[in-house]
Amino acid sequence: MKKSIKIIVILSSILLGLVLAIVIFVSPISKFLIEKYSEAYTGRKIVMRELSINIFNGSITTKGLIVYEAKSNRPFFKADTFNLNIAVYKLWVGKYDITSVELFNPYLQVIQRGNKFNYDDLMNRFFADDSAKKVETKPIKYWARNIQVNNATILYTNTKPLTNIKFIKGVVQIPLISWDDPIYKIQTAFDLSTGGRSKVLLHFNTNTFDYKAKIDVDQLSIDFLYPYLKDYMKVKSLKGLINTNLWLSGNTNQPTAIALSGSIKANDFAIIDATNELLTAIDETNVLIDTINTAKNRYNFRSISMDHPFFRLSMYDKGFNYERIMTTPLAMSSDTSSTVYSNVFLMMSGYIQEIVREYDVNNYQINQFRVTRGQCIFTDFTHGEKFRYVLDSMTLSSDRLSSANPFLMFSVKSRLNTSGKMRGVLKVDPKHYQDIIIDASIKELLITDFNPYSKYYVATPFLNGTISYENQTTVLGGKLDSKNILDIRQIKTGKKVKNSTAMNLPVGLAVSLLKDVKGNIHLDIPVTGSLNDPKFKWGRVIWGVLKNLVIKAATAPFRLLANLFGGKEEDFKEMQFEYTQTEIMANQQTVLDRLAKIAIDKPEIKIELTQVTNILDETEAIAVYQMKQKYLGISNAISAQELKRRTDSISNNDSLFVKYLVSKLPNAQGLQSTEEKSVQLIGREKIIPEVYTLMDKRNAAVIQYLVNQKKVPATNIAISNTKELNQLQKSAPPKYVINIASIE
């Protein structure tokens, strides 16, 4: 009996000793084995500062755990503390129940090189598809409860473009992973080191691969996207804050088939260019999504709104500012093959293209669309003098935008350079975006704002004038029909400037002629054509019409004057005189009265009168006139009108008068006409100076009538004699040729 007890005691001691040895040495032995064989089994070196295993209560704890990169001394994963608890008693019946998993202060380094990641070796080792035929066995019964990760840090590095994104203060909670429940409920929350916090509640079905997720983002800074943007735009910075409250569902096997609802809000978006100038910005953007379902072709938005969008457009000799800053990933990153290059914008573009490729995207509705307080600054540095124009207080609004509507209608308003006002309605066919209807107007636009262009192209600045413009345009089936009404009030041009780039157009004269009696210009400019014709340019047509108006006004002004002041076009072109006439008669008064009204009503215009006569005819007329005066015995004491009446009462072929002339010329056999006889009697050398004197008297009479009687400023009158006095045909009476010019 004593011997049996002794054996039992010895065996119990040995067993107890073994248990104690296992309890004491299982942790260091396990730590040694893990560290020794980790590379052989995982491809990664694993070390830890402490490992504690309690085989009685099923707890495992590690401290200072480090998993290194493959074949590297650089840490891939670290954790201060890892705790796992398992229900030991259930192991005896083949059940694996992990009651809790805790991970404190883990750190994970994710490195992407194109389409390769630094964890690909682990995925290939542990999750590669097994092509061998699987033998059906009883399912393993397992539970993993209360999984929690606290204060996690994830550093994501993309090598091209070089990007570092750091997620901090991460929390992951999974209440249960069970062999008999395919749905995992995962809740995560992370801060971004550059600012902002995100929370995701994910339900994932491991059997069907369906998922549902609630995504909340609070004040997430988009600074981290700057390295990606830099490959497309040479800019200095990208700023903005994102807030979301979204519900997303889909299936991982069909990544383009998604359903989305909720809200997206962006604040303080801004892009600063390389010159430290604000390029574009939006104070606030709100998108309220009722339903987006790509598979069902449904895109319904409750509202889309933007407040205070800003856009800066600058034009230089070599192009626009946006063209100068635009670049390509190839230029910035050299090699952009998928094996080394990955850009989030490229991925987003590819994803959207894939959705468009796989599904119809033509069934949409936006209940309310608003853009408020918009601003655009346009600066042109290509014309010597800087041109700067500001559009602000812009609003763009529409209600019930729908692909089912015959037209999408937008209302537009804006202030133009602090003074002008623009208002209009734009209609677009949702099925044929080339078909549009425009009804727009511009009021109180200052023409002086455009002086840099007027000086550059036509060497003429404007001193005053406000523009009103009405436009009604339809483009249907590529056919353009545009009605343009241009009104310019109180327009006034300045003196021409020296400019080698300008066209030689008489803008000042044209403006003066185009103005009505109130000093305003009214133009109707219809434009029609086919936009399918590559030679047809809308802007070029309108500019051509305006250019032709200027040219026609300058080269054929009399039609405009006749329309403005009455009469016929011919009434303004010439003023007829009779031979030897030096006083203003009724028919000349009619013409001069019209010219006086033009000069007074249009002080920018100069009336140019050029006297034209045939000196031979005028010489003969003076000679006959003087011989008739001698024949009748009339003295110079009577008035010119009476003298003319009496001399005109005798025909040049009057037999008694002819006989009188013959009597004065005993040797007149070779002289046939009365005119020749009279010239012979008076003497040609004596008469020719009188012709010039007579012409000067006519000029003086015209000036006296216009300036003294009609009060026309002398600066508005220019009178001269033609240099070619024989240019008129024989027997054509003298006249004044009238020309219209501008006062320079």
Side-chain angles (χ1 to χ4, degrees):
M1 184 70 179
K2 289 182 180 180
K3 187 177 180 179
S4 299
I5 293 173
K6 185 178 180 179
I7 293 172
I8 292 172
V9 169
I10 293 172
L11 290 175
S12 298
S13 299
I14 294 172
L15 182 61
L16 180 61
L18 289 173
V19 170
L20 288 173
I22 291 172
V23 171
I24 294 171
F25 294 108
V26 67
S27 295
I29 292 173
S30 297
K31 178 178 181 294
F32 171 78
L33 293 175
I34 290 172
E35 291 181 342
K36 180 177 180 61
Y37 295 104
S38 58
E39 283 192 271
Y41 286 96
T42 68
R44 301 291 181 103
K45 180 182 177 182
I46 301 175
V47 298
M48 59 194 78
R49 188 174 67 253
E50 295 181 19
L51 174 63
S52 175
I53 301 174
N54 189 321
I55 61 174
F56 298 108
N57 63 10
S59 69
I60 301 173
T61 299
T62 68
K63 293 184 178 180
L65 174 66
I66 302 176
V67 180
Y68 290 94
E69 295 278 1
K71 300 178 182 180
S72 172
N73 290 323
R74 185 173 64 247
F76 165 68
F77 173 80
K78 297 188 294 184
D80 285 355
T81 304
F82 171 72
N83 293 326
L84 183 145
N85 291 287
I86 188 169
V88 177
Y89 69 94
K90 291 186 179 181
L91 295 175
W92 304 109
V93 293
K95 296 180 180 180
Y96 304 89
D97 190 352
I98 299 173
T99 57
S100 67
V101 178
E102 292 178 309
L103 194 61
F104 294 95
N105 303 322
Y107 170 89
L108 176 66
Q109 168 81 70
V110 178
I111 301 174
Q112 182 178 5
R113 296 179 178 88
N115 55 8
K116 304 292 184 181
F117 290 86
N118 61 334
Y119 53 77
D120 287 344
D121 60 313
L122 297 175
M123 300 296 291
N124 293 332
R125 181 183 291 268
F126 296 107
F127 298 100
D129 291 337
D130 187 0
S131 57
K133 186 175 181 180
K134 295 180 180 180
V135 178
E136 289 190 9
T137 59
K138 289 184 178 181
I140 297 174
K141 297 180 179 181
Y142 63 88
W143 298 263
R145 311 174 193 272
N146 303 316
I147 301 171
Q148 185 153 336
V149 178
N150 296 300
N151 198 32
T153 299
I154 300 175
L155 178 61
Y156 166 79
T157 300
N158 187 1
T159 57
K160 281 192 178 182
L162 182 60
T163 310
N164 289 295
I165 302 173
K166 193 173 185 180
F167 301 90
I168 59 175
K169 300 179 182 179
V171 175
V172 180
Q173 293 177 335
I174 306 174
L176 175 66
I177 296 176
S178 173
W179 71 278
D180 57 354
D181 185 357
I183 298 177
Y184 294 174
K185 299 176 181 178
I186 305 170
Q187 185 172 347
T188 67
F190 277 91
D191 285 3
L192 205 61
S193 62
T194 52
R197 185 164 183 80
S198 64
K199 295 180 181 179
V200 178
L201 177 61
L202 174 67
H203 290 188
F204 183 75
N205 190 316
T206 56
N207 288 342
T208 64
F209 298 99
D210 290 337
Y211 65 86
K212 292 181 180 179
K214 187 178 187 300
I215 305 170
D216 293 324
V217 173
D218 182 32
Q219 296 294 94
L220 182 70
S221 173
I222 63 172
D223 288 19
F224 70 93
L225 295 174
Y226 170 66
Y228 299 105
L229 179 66
K230 213 168 46 169
D231 272 7
Y232 293 93
M233 300 176 71
K234 292 181 281 189
V235 295
K236 186 175 181 180
S237 67
L238 170 68
K239 301 292 182 183
L241 300 172
I242 298 292
N243 297 272
T244 70
N245 186 358
L246 296 172
W247 287 96
L248 175 68
S249 61
N251 187 287
T252 56
N253 290 328
Q254 294 178 289
T256 57
I258 61 170
L260 182 68
S261 64
S263 65
I264 302 172
K265 181 179 179 181
N267 297 92
D268 304 325
F269 170 80
I271 297 178
I272 308 296
D273 70 10
T275 64
N276 211 33
E277 193 170 54
L278 181 62
L279 188 66
T280 186
I282 305 174
D283 279 6
E284 184 173 294
T285 301
N286 277 295
V287 180
L288 299 181
I289 306 168
D290 278 343
T291 303
I292 291 179
N293 192 311
T294 57
K296 294 182 179 180
N297 187 23
R298 293 177 61 190
Y299 301 86
N300 296 337
F301 297 84
R302 189 180 310 165
S303 66
I304 298 176
S305 64
M306 284 189 289
D307 181 55
H308 199 202
F310 171 83
F311 184 74
R312 186 186 303 278
L313 182 64
S314 300
M315 188 164 66
Y316 302 88
D317 290 332
K318 293 185 178 180
F320 289 95
N321 56 336
Y322 281 84
E323 294 172 330
R324 296 198 309 171
I325 67 173
M326 298 304 290
T327 184
T328 62
L330 180 61
M332 300 300 292
S333 300
S334 183
D335 186 0
T336 57
S337 61
S338 61
T339 57
V340 297
Y341 182 80
S342 178
N343 190 301
V344 65
F345 293 114
L346 192 65
M347 295 168 61
M348 290 169 59
S349 173
Y351 181 67
I352 293 171
Q353 290 178 31
E354 192 172 349
I355 290 176
V356 173
R357 208 166 34 242
E358 292 187 19
Y359 306 105
D360 291 329
V361 186
N362 55 17
N363 181 17
Y364 55 85
Q365 180 171 307
I366 305 172
N367 292 340
Q368 188 180 77
F369 179 81
R370 294 286 186 273
V371 177
T372 55
R373 297 196 304 149
Q375 184 181 28
C376 176
I377 298 178
F378 172 69
T379 309
D380 188 350
F381 297 94
T382 64
H383 298 91
E385 182 179 345
K386 182 176 75 172
F387 172 77
R388 186 175 185 270
Y389 208 82
V390 179
L391 283 73
D392 60 10
S393 302
M394 287 191 293
T395 63
L396 177 65
S397 61
S398 184
D399 294 324
R400 302 293 295 177
L401 290 174
S402 172
S403 55
N405 293 343
F407 280 94
L408 308 178
M409 188 171 74
F410 299 89
S411 297
V412 185
K413 290 194 299 183
S414 179
R415 186 172 67 163
L416 309 177
N417 230 33
T418 72
S419 62
K421 299 173 184 177
M422 185 266 288
R423 181 187 297 268
V425 174
L426 170 66
K427 297 180 180 179
V428 181
D429 187 336
K431 296 180 177 59
H432 305 92
Y433 290 110
Q434 301 89 344
D435 291 351
I436 61 173
I437 298 174
I438 300 172
D439 189 350
S441 67
I442 294 174
K443 305 290 186 183
E444 305 301 327
L445 188 66
L446 296 181
I447 196 170
T448 52
D449 290 343
F450 300 94
N451 275 342
Y453 289 122
S454 67
K455 286 192 265 188
Y456 184 86
Y457 287 109
V458 293
T460 304
F462 291 94
L463 304 180
N464 192 33
T466 56
I467 298 173
S468 294
Y469 173 68
E470 302 284 341
N471 172 263
Q472 292 181 332
T473 296
T474 60
V475 179
L476 300 174
K479 301 296 183 182
L480 169 70
D481 184 4
S482 180
K483 297 178 178 63
N484 303 275
I485 299 175
L486 181 65
D487 287 291
I488 310 177
R489 297 190 302 278
Q490 303 302 311
I491 184 171
K492 186 177 181 181
T493 58
K495 292 184 178 181
K496 272 188 171 289
V497 297
K498 291 183 179 180
N499 194 340
S500 60
T501 63
M503 294 179 288
N504 187 22
L505 293 177
V507 176
L509 175 59
V511 167
S512 297
L513 293 171
L514 290 170
K515 289 193 298 186
D516 60 21
V517 293
K518 296 181 180 179
N520 303 327
I521 293 177
H522 176 84
L523 298 174
D524 288 339
I525 309 174
V527 178
T528 58
S530 173
L531 299 183
N532 298 322
D533 182 357
K535 296 181 180 179
F536 179 82
K537 302 295 182 183
W538 191 352
R540 186 179 299 172
V541 170
I542 293 180
W543 169 245
V545 171
L546 293 173
K547 179 181 175 183
N548 288 336
L549 277 172
V550 172
I551 293 173
K552 287 181 179 179
T555 57
F558 304 107
R559 183 177 302 173
L560 293 172
L561 294 175
N563 291 336
L564 286 173
F565 296 99
K568 298 178 181 178
E569 184 177 350
E570 291 74 15
D571 296 338
F572 295 87
K573 292 182 176 181
E574 295 179 349
M575 180 171 61
Q576 301 287 341
F577 269 73
E578 295 184 14
Y579 294 120
T580 72
Q581 179 187 346
T582 59
E583 294 186 353
I584 305 300
M585 301 297 183
N587 55 340
Q588 288 87 37
Q589 286 183 9
T590 302
V591 176
L592 292 175
D593 287 349
R594 291 195 183 104
L595 296 180
K597 184 169 179 55
I598 293 171
I600 292 171
D601 289 351
K602 295 181 176 293
E604 314 90 6
I605 280 183
K606 178 181 285 188
I607 309 295
E608 296 179 342
L609 298 103
T610 304
Q611 186 177 180
V612 181
T613 188
N614 187 311
I615 195 169
L616 296 177
D617 286 350
E618 195 86 59
T619 299
E620 291 176 351
I622 291 174
V624 171
Y625 177 78
Q626 291 181 1
M627 288 309 298
K628 285 182 179 180
Q629 187 178 357
K630 290 181 179 182
Y631 169 69
L632 295 173
I634 303 172
S635 67
N636 292 328
I638 66 173
S639 66
Q641 290 184 350
E642 179 61 22
L643 180 59
K644 186 177 187 314
R645 185 188 68 78
R646 291 188 186 184
T647 55
D648 287 348
S649 66
I650 300 174
S651 169
N652 286 2
N653 297 320
D654 182 89
S655 59
L656 293 177
F657 177 56
V658 173
K659 186 177 180 180
Y660 170 76
L661 294 177
V662 172
S663 68
K664 297 292 184 180
L665 287 171
N667 300 318
Q669 292 84 359
L671 302 176
Q672 300 299 322
S673 69
T674 301
E675 290 78 11
E676 290 174 328
K677 293 180 178 70
S678 298
V679 171
Q680 181 70 26
L681 287 168
I682 301 298
R684 188 176 300 275
E685 296 77 11
K686 180 183 178 182
I687 300 173
I688 288 179
E690 294 184 22
V691 173
Y692 290 104
T693 300
L694 182 142
M695 294 176 71
D696 290 341
K697 288 181 178 179
R698 286 191 191 124
N699 291 344
V702 171
I703 291 292
Q704 191 278 336
Y705 185 83
L706 290 173
V707 174
N708 296 338
Q709 294 190 40
K710 292 299 179 179
K711 307 303 180 185
V712 175
T715 53
N716 290 73
I717 303 297
I719 194 162
S720 62
N721 297 325
T722 182
K723 293 181 180 180
E724 299 189 11
L725 295 176
N726 293 318
Q727 64 177 340
L728 289 181
Q729 295 180 356
K730 186 70 173 174
S731 301
K735 64 181 179 181
Y736 281 90
V737 176
I738 302 169
N739 186 45
I740 304 298
S742 60
I743 297 177
E744 297 295 341

